[in-house]
Amino acid sequence: MHRMMTIGVYGFDGESFLRRLRQADVRLLLDVRQRRGVRGPEYAWANSHRLQEALAEAGIAYEHHPELAPTTELRTLQYAEDDRRGVGKRSRRELAPEYTRRYTTEILDRADLARIVSALPSSGSAALFCVERDPQACHRSLIARRLAERHHVTIEHLRPG
């Protein structure tokens, strides 16, 4: 039985992020972002090169999985719904139903998750990584649910604090 964590950027600093990964015995971080940068100086640690260097120093492997990232069009659809609801990206609590439907049919249904599961570490755990603090506000929760339902992966969501 494989274990999979999910984790976002918001709410962490670089040190607390790595500490949380170590506490969960994460051995592999699966980056499911399309653009591997985060705006704002407080999150510079999460930009691809800095993050990969910090993970390497911590002994955590890194893989980028752009095939699981939402397209620019899908992100724009979600941002429009956020605007309609009057919520910012950093305060979103859930995904728009249309975003969820389209992400599932356009991205998730086409993804080879069996290949990812077969490459998971034999000890410790792996973590799906994106930006949002709350997994329900991020496509990583959709990936995690699919992994649990179809591949019997045990899921735990890591949050700051």
Side-chain angles (χ1 to χ4, degrees), residues 9-10 37-47 50 90:
V9 170
Y10 297 145
V38 183
R39 290 189 179 149
E42 71 271 31
Y43 296 114
W45 61 267
N47 293 331
R50 289 181 182 149
R90 295 184 188 192

Side-chain angles (χ1 to χ4, degrees), residues 110-129:
R110 298 176 184 177
D112 184 1
L113 295 181
R115 183 180 58 81
I116 291 171
V117 170
S118 69
L120 292 177
S122 58
S123 63
S125 62
L128 291 170
F129 170 67

Side-chain angles (χ1 to χ4, degrees), residues 12-72:
F12 287 103
D13 59 31
E15 185 178 313
S16 64
F17 179 82
L18 290 172
R19 184 172 49 248
R20 191 68 185 99
L21 292 177
R22 281 190 211 100
Q23 289 169 347
D25 198 19
V26 170
R27 311 277 177 94
L28 171 64
L29 188 84
L30 305 169
D31 190 338
V32 295
R33 301 177 292 172
Q34 181 185 47
R35 296 176 299 155
R36 295 182 290 163
V38 183
R39 290 189 179 149
E42 71 271 31
Y43 296 114
W45 61 267
N47 293 331
S48 180
H49 294 295
R50 289 181 182 149
L51 176 63
Q52 288 181 63
E53 288 173 7
L55 290 169
E57 287 177 22
I60 300 171
Y62 172 91
E63 292 179 5
H64 183 220
H65 285 274
E67 76 278 9
L68 294 174
T71 62
T72 300

Side-chain angles (χ1 to χ4, degrees), residues 75-128:
R75 284 196 326 275
T76 300
L77 183 151
Q78 181 62 56
Y79 298 155
E81 182 63 14
D82 292 345
D83 288 345
R84 191 185 72 71
R85 292 181 179 183
V87 297
K89 178 180 180 178
R90 295 184 188 192
S91 59
R92 178 189 319 132
R93 295 281 182 239
E94 63 184 3
L95 293 169
E98 180 64 6
Y99 173 95
T100 299
R101 184 190 70 74
R102 287 192 52 197
Y103 177 83
T104 300
T105 59
E106 296 172 20
I107 307 290
L108 201 50
D109 287 348
R110 298 176 184 177
D112 184 1
L113 295 181
R115 183 180 58 81
I116 291 171
V117 170
S118 69
L120 292 177
S122 58
S123 63
S125 62
L128 291 170

